[in-house]
């Protein structure tokens, strides 16, 4: 009896157990169901964390830590549990069998956990040690120690309070909205809440990264903040690639009945509004980062390198959004445009460097062959190195990189325009087919009514 209850804590277990339909017939909303499932699973995981409390006394036998640091470490365990449970529910809401949900969860969670362990744990510990020498470098668990041993100030607030809070709330909120959206019907409005999340997440991430950059006063943090914001924009492109071409008839009827404003409708389903919002928010965030970078630059060369890095990122991101909209406009499902976008990014990132390697081997002129890698977005790093060090070929490298960046931007604009034409054509064709079907129903009802009102014929 215990095992079925454990399986029913997630949504895939409800579907496989044939109890999901009965749950939908209750008066509970999808948000209430998601909150109930989350609390049930989180309570279950919290029991295991509480069982580790006796183990928390072992560090006192070896020394080097305080009771406050141990308590903070346990508090962070609960935060990690919140993210883990929310992620598991979001995956479970997409599948109809627990086995598939568990396999996908493990396949995604394992590399992400290793990346967080290596980058956020070991990697950032050196940055924390450089900022606060009292925090040891190297250990993967350094955040509780930093809370106790670091000096309070702007850097403390930005690094240890604001940025961790933003990086926790943003994914937790996303997992919740994805869970609710997956529980809705395909004709429901499953886009507005995700759009609101993105509209809130980008400014929060931008402000937090800019504040971290301001507190650090290091050029490396400017590049890291811009790369993080750009990567988040690409994640948004993958997320919005599943948008429908436009709102369904059911959504349009609900909007008409409720008198929904034009601003609210702009946040509704539709690949074109989603792509426009994605472009404006990310480009505005990168522009703010570039402005701060130009202000914080210690020399003219550093300023030019920072602006070149941001400019290439903004231009290529225009291509990413345009390609996503174009692929979604020509596809009939959400999987195809995401696969095409992943393939396009792989080719754009790796392809030019392969061509450069081949050209360098054939011509034995590696300096000139490097220019063949200019179509790759990672060529922005080469531009930064050449401009910041005032290399002899800095002008040629910068010119080639700017030309490729402009080409990416023009291609993105063209693809977005083609996507707009394609979406309007398909929506117009669907509206015409729907109108034709409605007229056929009306004619059939009129014929049936006329037949019912006609006098019976005499034998």
């Amino acid at each position: 009896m215990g095992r079925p209850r454990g399986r029913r804590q997630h949504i895939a277990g409800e579907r496989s157990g044939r109890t999901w339909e009965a749950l939908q017939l209750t008066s509970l909303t999808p948000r209430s169901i998601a909150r109930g499932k989350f609390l049930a699973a989180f309570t279950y995981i919290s029991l295991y964390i509480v069982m580790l409390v006796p183990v928390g006394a072992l560090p006192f036998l070896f020394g080097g830590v305080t009771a406050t640091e141990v308590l903070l470490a346990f508090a962070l365990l609960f935060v990690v549990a919140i993210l883990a449970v929310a992620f598991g529910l979001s995956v479970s809401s997409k599948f109809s069998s627990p086995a598939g949900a568990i396999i996908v969860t493990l396949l995604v969670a394992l590399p992400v956990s290793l990346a967080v362990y290596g980058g956020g744990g070991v990697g950032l510990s050196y940055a924390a040690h450089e900022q606060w020498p009292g925090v040891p470098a190297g250990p993967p668990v350094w955040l509780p120690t930093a809370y106790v041993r670091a000096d309070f100030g702007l850097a403390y607030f930005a690094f240890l309070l604001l940025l961790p809070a933003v990086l926790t709330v943003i994914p937790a909120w996303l997992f919740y909205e994805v869970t609710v959206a997956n529980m809705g019907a395909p004709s429901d409005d499953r886009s507005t809440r995700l759009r609101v999340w993105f509209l809130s997440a980008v400014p929060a991430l931008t402000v937090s990264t800019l504040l971290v950059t301001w507190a650090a006063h290091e050029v490396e943090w400017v590049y890291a903040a811009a790369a993080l914001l750009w990567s988040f924009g690409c994640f948004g492109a993958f997320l919005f690639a599943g948008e429908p071409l436009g709102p369904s008839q059911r959504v349009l009827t609900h909007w008409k009945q409720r008198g929904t404003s034009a601003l609210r409708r702009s946040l509704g389903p539709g690949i074109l509004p989603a792509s426009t919002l994605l472009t404006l928010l990310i480009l505005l965030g990168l522009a703010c980062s570039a402005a701060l970078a130009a202000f914080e630059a210690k020399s003219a060369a550093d300023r030019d390198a920072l602006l070149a890095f941001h400019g290439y990122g903004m231009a290529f991101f225009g291509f990413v959004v345009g390609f996503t909209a174009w692929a979604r406009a020509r596809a009939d499902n959400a999987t195809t445009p995401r696969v095409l976008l992943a393939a396009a990014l792989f080719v754009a990132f790796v392809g030019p460097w392969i061509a450069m390697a081949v050209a360098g081997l054939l011509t034995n002129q590696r300096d000139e062959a490097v220019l063949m890698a200019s179509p790759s977005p990672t060529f922005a790093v080469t531009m930064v190195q050449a401009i910041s060090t005032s290399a002899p070929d800095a002008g040629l490298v910068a010119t080639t990189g700017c030309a490729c960046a402009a080409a990416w931007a023009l291609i993105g604009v063209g693809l977005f325009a083609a996507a707009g034409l394609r979406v309007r054509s398909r929506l117009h064709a669907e509206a015409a087919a729907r109108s034709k079907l409605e007229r056929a129903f009306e004619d059939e009802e009129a014929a049936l009514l006329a037949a019912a009102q006609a006098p019976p014929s005499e034998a």
Side-chain angles (χ1 to χ4, degrees):
M1 295 296 292
R3 185 177 179 181
R5 284 196 298 268
R7 293 179 63 187
R8 298 288 173 81
Q9 287 179 353
H10 47 77
I11 300 171
E14 297 282 357
R15 289 171 176 163
S16 63
R18 305 294 180 87
T19 58
W20 175 245
E21 291 77 10
L23 188 61
Q24 287 182 311
L25 293 177
T26 63
S27 58
L28 296 175
T29 62
R31 299 189 177 277
S32 299
I33 297 174
R35 287 192 294 268
K37 293 292 183 182
F38 171 80
L39 291 176
F42 180 69
T43 303
Y44 193 74
I45 296 298
S46 299
L47 295 176
Y48 288 97
I49 299 178
V50 173
M51 292 171 59
L52 294 176
V53 171
V55 182
L58 292 179
F60 297 110
L61 298 177
F62 303 95
V65 296
T66 63
T68 304
E69 294 173 2
V70 174
L71 292 177
L72 289 173
F74 272 100
L76 292 176
L77 279 180
F78 282 100
V79 173
V80 173
I82 290 175
L83 293 176
V85 171
F87 172 72
L89 280 178
S90 64
V91 175
S92 175
S93 63
K94 187 67 176 179
F95 290 86
S96 58
S97 65
I102 292 174
I103 291 174
V104 173
T105 301
L106 292 177
L107 290 177
V108 176
L110 183 59
V112 171
S113 300
L114 294 176
V116 172
Y117 180 87
V122 178
L124 287 182
S125 65
Y126 292 95
H129 177 72
E130 183 179 354
Q131 186 71 30
W132 303 288
V135 179
V141 182
W142 59 269
L143 193 56
T145 305
Y147 281 129
V148 176
R149 303 182 185 181
D151 298 327
F152 186 80
L154 180 60
Y156 187 101
F157 174 77
F159 281 92
L160 303 181
L161 296 179
L162 180 61
L163 189 60
V166 170
L167 295 180
T168 301
V169 173
I170 287 178
W173 187 5
L174 172 64
F175 296 149
Y176 172 72
E177 296 298 342
V178 169
T179 302
V180 175
N182 288 335
M183 288 191 292
S187 60
D188 291 340
D189 183 1
R190 303 193 291 180
S191 304
T192 299
R193 294 298 305 177
L194 288 174
R195 212 74 59 82
V196 171
W197 166 82
F198 192 80
L199 189 61
S200 304
V202 173
L205 189 61
T206 302
V207 171
S208 60
T209 53
L210 292 182
L211 189 59
V212 167
T213 302
W214 179 270
H217 294 290
E218 296 290 341
V219 176
E220 291 77 8
W221 285 102
V222 180
Y223 292 115
L228 177 62
L229 190 59
W230 188 88
S231 301
F232 187 77
C234 289
F235 172 78
F238 277 98
L239 180 65
F240 292 147
E243 284 283 321
L245 298 182
S248 63
Q249 188 63 30
R250 181 180 180 181
V251 174
L252 293 175
T253 303
H254 287 174
W255 284 350
K256 185 177 180 180
Q257 293 175 349
R258 300 172 183 175
T260 306
S261 62
L263 179 61
R264 179 85 177 189
R265 295 189 179 198
S266 64
L267 300 176
I271 183 61
L272 295 181
S275 300
T276 303
L277 179 66
L278 174 64
T279 305
L280 292 178
L281 289 178
I282 297 299
L283 292 186
L284 181 60
L286 290 175
C288 294
S289 178
L292 180 60
F295 180 77
E296 286 287 316
K298 299 178 181 179
S299 63
D302 289 339
R303 184 189 65 246
D304 295 340
L306 286 166
L307 293 179
F309 183 83
H310 285 79
Y312 203 124
M314 296 169 68
F316 187 78
F317 186 75
F319 164 78
V320 171
V321 176
F323 182 85
T324 303
W326 174 82
R328 180 64 186 93
R330 304 191 67 86
D332 296 327
N333 53 68
T335 304
T336 302
R338 288 169 176 164
V339 173
L340 292 177
L341 178 59
L345 290 177
F346 178 80
V347 172
F349 272 83
V350 180
W353 291 104
I354 296 177
M356 180 214 71
V358 174
L361 292 175
L362 294 178
T363 62
N364 292 326
Q365 297 178 353
R366 296 184 178 180
D367 294 338
E368 296 180 359
V370 171
L371 299 178
M372 297 192 63
S374 57
S376 174
T378 55
F379 189 77
V381 178
T382 304
M383 295 173 60
V384 168
Q385 294 175 349
I387 296 174
S388 60
T389 58
S390 299
D393 59 344
L396 181 60
V397 171
T399 302
T400 306
C402 291
C404 292
W408 283 121
L410 291 176
I411 294 174
V413 172
L415 290 175
F416 189 81
L421 296 176
R422 178 72 175 182
V423 168
R424 294 185 183 92
S425 176
R426 292 186 60 176
L427 291 178
H428 180 73
E430 291 177 2
R434 186 167 53 250
S435 299
K436 182 178 179 181
L437 184 61
E438 291 176 354
R439 287 195 300 269
F441 282 137
E442 292 175 357
D443 294 341
E444 184 178 356
E445 291 179 358
L448 292 175
L449 182 61
Q453 293 178 351
S457 57
E458 296 180 358

